[in-house]
């Protein structure tokens, strides 16, 4: 197998022309979103006040297996895709493992992550609908950057509510978004009723993702010609992100490689759901078997310690209820947690798959994640994002297990992005100021107490 | 020509196996380096106290046209090369030009630039010689990052003297280097005699590249098992960087494309010399003709306003004398100049080519460069480095000229890297705090006065 290159790039003609809608092959469909007021399933009409019409259709469609990627989106994909499938020869050698390690690297674009795959799709449908612009929130800034890039390309207005503490601590991310013409507002702001209320109650607050979501939704629903877009959790996002898995699968198939284990980091599920889609599809259709492993931070363990129940997607409790593995919308991860994997819940699709035993989940601690990140950077060259490094840590552990057992397994993991804008976290790690945090059952109790009675 | 993809990636088998040594085809060779004490050409023996032996050989070799790339360097190149040759379809459309625009993008690696091409080569030869480590200086940090990555991969010690003002203002670059295990020292430091002297004379100084060079050289020459390495200007660096041009040429040839104009930004000449090498080679051998354009900042105009004379390569005046276009080692570019193109001189090879009429040079002003950078980012997606944006500006100008004349010219330019660590400069541009600076003849006078009498 010496003819496998370090990097497999598909030809333009081999790029996916359709997204794969995993839900179509699921026997047990993810539970529908519920209207928090009526506890009835959200209708297309109700959702279309918040989201673009075509995206609402995609959100609710759990029967169509393949959905055409519009030509204009395909063309934009060509500017930064294919993403390379990398063979980690150097890492294998350094670990002394018989395992073959591959990673799908999504960081070779200015957003620095896979987020651009869905951002361009959502912006495209907004433009098709004749809208003037979109609103969103961003925490660490990857999603906001991706959306800014997509909107700049299509000539759409883009308004990003950025968690105030990130806005102040991550001025570079903010400037990248400004370069792409987005208006970036620190949240909470005086722009919205919800922002003004929070500022009145907590004048010095650094904001939260939940509050930023609420502001972005309020502006989208109260401004003619605007809709709200979201970078993770939703079914539509997983649909768009299926390009990750489809490309990876095509590249592996091209070289006759069969993965044994597929590993992805899990926050809201956008990367994991996209990466594993075609592999889980084969499992669901009984065509092949794979071990699928979700890796989450020990500090925010939705899969491994959460409950599979209906919960709010936002801390403001204004969004629909979703049935998912959740720690409760009142759960707040420890402030020292550096990665972007801090969502209290999880994609409904992935939650159902996990509940049905189609995938495993594991949690890893922060300093071990950064140690793996640094090891990986020195050996493989790429400086990984903290989020991606959760998958690296799990992949290294599996490879070392193969070393013990002598098994020549093929491991594929998702390297979602680069850590160029996360150097504060790396600095804390280098200076010994980074600490692990595993919530006790008592720490988790307030989150669970916040769960709605459905 | 619709079958030309947005991105041309060579196969691993098509990657260069030899570097191209442009000097071998030059009738008028670049003038030799002179010992400042004797004014005699520097011998291999004298140079090998500072540089690795194999690199000294490469530095002095102006007759061998092709030099084998050692297998271990080829293997490392495969982790981040080929760099894509991009067709700027979106930019062409936005400009409404009949020109076909291509750019060779070298930013898809963690150093964020082409610097890694030479860093791995220099580190490799140091390791081959049995050395323990290397020293260098860095200003903006691209070269230091690249060298840190190469040394981490090979297990070499790496000591980087970083201009103090950059060390303090660019903590992220510093942390990237630390992630790769380099020790980064703010310069001037108390480590060296030259550092201590400067600190005594100017206690509050923010340092300078010239001072950092002097410190790195002092440590390399006074510590057993260490040598000094440099990221630009030298012939050996241009040799290693020829992979840029060789890959670009192979990709163009593969699709039957003939470039008319080749454009690169010029600081010390590492990118420009690498990009244009095979094209100038064809010119020198009379096989083809190309317009070659060097683009430099109006604030540091070595080619367009400098003198072609012997000068010191460093402001400390301890390095050999080189015959080059220079503003004088006493010239200091305006502090508001944001890019890394602030070297007072220029590669001797490029200087000779320019002197012999084999290439043109032009200078561009800073705010126009950033306007082009922002335009490019929004249209093409990639956030360019300020240095690279000098080439973007010139390429856009040429494409707009084609629009006037109706000529369907093929333009190739070098996009050397990304601007992720340059967001302070973008911020200054966005906030209207960036100003152009064109030195008057009086401003240039002190630099010229510092020229040695040779």
């Amino acid at each position: 197998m010496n003819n496998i290159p370090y990097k497999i790039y598909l030809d333009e003609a081999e790029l996916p022309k359709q997204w794969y809608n995993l839900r179509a092959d699921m026997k047990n469909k993810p539970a529908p979103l519920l209207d928090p007021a009526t506890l009835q399933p959200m209708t297309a009409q109700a959702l279309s006040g918040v989201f673009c019409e075509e995206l609402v259709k995609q959100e609710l469609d759990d029967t169509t297996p393949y959905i055409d990627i519009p030509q204009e989106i395909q063309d934009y994909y060509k500017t930064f895709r294919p993403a390379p499938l990398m063979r980690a020869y150097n890492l294998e050698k350094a670990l002394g493992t018989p395992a073959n390690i591959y990673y799908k690297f999504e960081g070779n674009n200015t957003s620095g992550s896979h987020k651009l795959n869905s951002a361009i799709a959502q912006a495209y449908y907004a433009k098709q609908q004749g809208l003037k612009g979109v609103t969103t929130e961003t925490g660490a800034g990857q999603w906001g950057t991706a959306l800014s890039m997509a909107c700049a390309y299509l000539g759409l207005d883009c308004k990003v509510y950025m968690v105030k503490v990130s806005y102040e601590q991550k001025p570079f991310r903010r400037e990248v978004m400004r370069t792409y013409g987005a208006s970036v507002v620190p949240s909470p702001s005086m722009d919205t009723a919800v922002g003004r209320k929070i500022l009145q109650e907590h004048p010095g607050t650094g904001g939260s993702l939940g509050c930023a979501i609420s502001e972005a939704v309020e502006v989208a629903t109260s401004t003619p010609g605007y809709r709200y877009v979201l970078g993770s959790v939703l079914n539509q996002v997983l649909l768009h992100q299926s390009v990750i898995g489809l490309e990876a699968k095509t590249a592996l198939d091209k070289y006759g490689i069969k993965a044994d284990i597929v590993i992805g980091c899990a926050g809201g599920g956008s990367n994991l759901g996209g990466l594993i889609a075609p592999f889980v599809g084969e499992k669901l259709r009984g065509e092949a078997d794979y071990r699928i492993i979700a890796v989450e931070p020990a500090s925010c363990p939705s899969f491994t310690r959460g409950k599979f129940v209906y919960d709010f997607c936002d801390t403001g409790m204004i969004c629909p209820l979703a049935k998912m593995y959740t720690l409760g919308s009142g759960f707040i991860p420890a402030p020292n947690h550096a990665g972007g994997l801090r969502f209290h819940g999880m994609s409904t699709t992935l939650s159902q798959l996990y509940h049905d035993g189609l995938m495993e989940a594991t949690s890893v601690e922060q300093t071990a994640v950064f140690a793996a990140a640094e090891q990986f950077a020195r050996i493989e060259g790429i400086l990984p994002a903290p989020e991606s490094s959760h998958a690296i840590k799990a992949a290294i552990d599996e490879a070392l297990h193969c070393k013990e057992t002598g098994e020549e397994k093929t491991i594929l993991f998702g390297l979602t992005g680069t850590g160029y804008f996360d150097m504060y976290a790396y600095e804390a790690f280098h200076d010994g100021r980074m600490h692990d945090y595993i919530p006790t059952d008592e720490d988790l109790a307030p989150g669970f107490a916040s769960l709605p009675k459905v």
Side-chain angles (χ1 to χ4, degrees), chain A:
Chain A
M1 298 288 263
N2 272 334
N3 56 344
I4 296 169
Y6 281 73
K7 309 198 284 184
I8 304 176
Y9 280 109
L10 299 179
D11 292 334
E12 226 174 58
E14 296 170 310
L15 296 186
K17 290 174 182 56
Q18 299 181 306
W19 292 302
Y20 171 55
N21 183 10
L22 178 60
R23 289 165 290 162
D25 283 318
M26 290 170 72
K27 213 172 88 183
N28 300 325
K29 308 288 184 192
L33 298 173
L34 298 186
D35 185 321
T38 65
L39 298 187
Q40 294 300 306
M42 292 290 291
T43 61
Q45 200 193 352
L47 285 170
S48 65
V50 181
F51 300 113
C52 304
E53 284 162 26
E54 193 62 32
L55 293 167
V56 170
K57 239 189 256 178
Q58 294 179 354
E59 191 63 31
L60 298 176
D61 183 346
D62 58 11
T63 56
T64 312
Y66 289 96
I67 293 174
D68 286 344
I69 306 175
Q71 188 60 48
E72 196 163 348
I73 299 177
Q74 285 190 48
D75 284 346
Y76 189 76
Y77 277 170
K78 287 175 197 165
T79 67
F80 70 99
R81 309 198 66 80
L85 180 69
M86 316 279 287
R87 173 69 183 267
Y89 284 118
N90 293 333
L91 181 62
E92 291 169 17
K93 197 171 147 193
L95 297 175
T97 177
N100 296 338
I101 307 174
Y102 294 86
Y103 53 99
K104 181 71 171 166
F105 179 43
E106 291 285 328
N108 273 350
N109 70 73
T110 296
S111 81
S113 81
H114 64 294
K115 295 284 183 184
L116 195 52
N117 298 326
S118 185
I120 184 64
Q122 296 193 47
Y124 170 81
Y125 290 118
K127 174 107 182 202
Q128 283 300 102
Q129 196 175 319
L131 298 175
K132 271 167 53 185
V134 289
T135 70
T136 198
E137 77 291 331
T138 202
Q142 290 181 337
W143 168 247
T145 306
L147 190 67
S148 305
M149 292 171 67
C151 287
Y153 176 72
L154 294 169
L156 271 181
D157 188 40
C158 178
K159 193 155 208 157
V160 180
Y161 287 86
M162 188 170 186
V163 177
K164 189 183 272 174
V165 61
S166 294
Y167 182 91
E168 284 161 1
Q169 287 180 0
K170 295 198 160 193
F172 291 174
R173 273 283 185 200
R174 182 185 76 209
E175 281 311 316
V176 176
M177 290 185 261
R178 284 179 75 196
T179 301
Y180 288 90
S183 63
V184 187
V185 184
S187 167
S189 76
M190 294 300 281
D191 287 9
T192 63
V194 65
R196 289 188 292 272
K197 180 162 178 286
I198 290 172
L199 284 173
Q200 198 168 28
E201 289 169 9
H202 310 279
T205 180
S208 72
L209 203 58
C211 167
I213 293 177
S214 303
E215 290 205 85
V217 171
E218 181 182 323
V219 171
T221 52
S222 63
T223 314
Y226 282 74
R227 289 294 184 283
Y228 169 70
V229 295
L230 180 65
S232 190
V233 183
L234 298 173
N235 292 323
Q236 60 190 266
V237 177
L238 268 70
L239 175 72
H240 307 147
Q241 294 296 356
S242 69
V243 293
I244 303 172
L246 292 167
E247 274 189 12
K249 185 83 175 50
T250 303
L252 290 172
D253 289 349
K254 197 171 165 178
Y255 284 85
I257 304 158
K258 162 77 173 61
D260 297 301
I261 308 173
V262 183
I263 299 171
C265 62
S270 70
N271 148 68
L272 181 68
L275 174 68
I276 68 174
F279 300 96
V280 172
E282 288 193 345
K283 270 183 97 154
L284 289 164
R285 298 189 302 269
E287 296 165 7
D289 199 18
Y290 303 95
R291 267 186 76 200
I292 310 280
I293 307 176
V295 192
E296 58 186 15
S299 53
C300 190
S302 324
F303 271 135
T304 50
R305 296 176 70 191
K307 296 186 179 176
F308 187 46
V309 294
Y310 266 106
D311 190 15
F312 290 96
C313 290
D314 62 324
T315 47
M317 299 188 180
I318 59 170
C319 289
L321 298 168
K323 189 171 179 193
M324 57 185 178
Y325 280 87
T326 178
L327 299 164
S329 64
F331 174 79
I332 297 167
N336 73 332
H337 171 55
L341 310 173
R342 27 171 77 246
F343 185 57
H344 64 277
M346 184 55 63
S347 141
T348 58
T349 300
L350 295 179
S351 293
Q352 189 65 49
L353 290 173
Y354 182 60
H355 185 70
D356 291 345
L358 285 149
M359 51 184 277
E360 308 165 28
T362 185
S363 72
V364 289
E365 292 173 39
Q366 177 146 293
T367 55
V369 165
F370 274 81
E374 186 164 284
Q375 182 183 14
F376 182 83
R378 293 183 184 189
I379 296 168
E380 288 287 315
I382 297 169
L383 184 81
E387 297 82 357
S388 324
S389 304
H390 289 71
I392 293 173
K393 167 67 179 147
I396 289 176
D397 287 348
E398 289 294 333
L400 290 176
H401 183 69
C402 287
K403 187 179 179 176
E404 280 175 29
T405 63
E407 290 168 293
E408 197 185 318
K409 289 199 175 158
T410 296
I411 299 168
L412 166 67
F413 72 88
L415 190 72
T416 55
T418 51
Y420 305 145
F421 293 96
D422 299 288
M423 296 319 294
Y424 278 132
Y426 274 93
E427 186 179 40
F429 174 68
H430 294 148
D431 293 348
R433 287 183 282 103
M434 178 176 283
H435 303 293
D436 292 325
Y437 173 75
I438 305 177
T440 63
D441 288 344
E442 273 171 26
D443 294 330
L444 293 181
F448 290 136
S450 75
L451 288 170
K453 309 283 174 283
V454 178

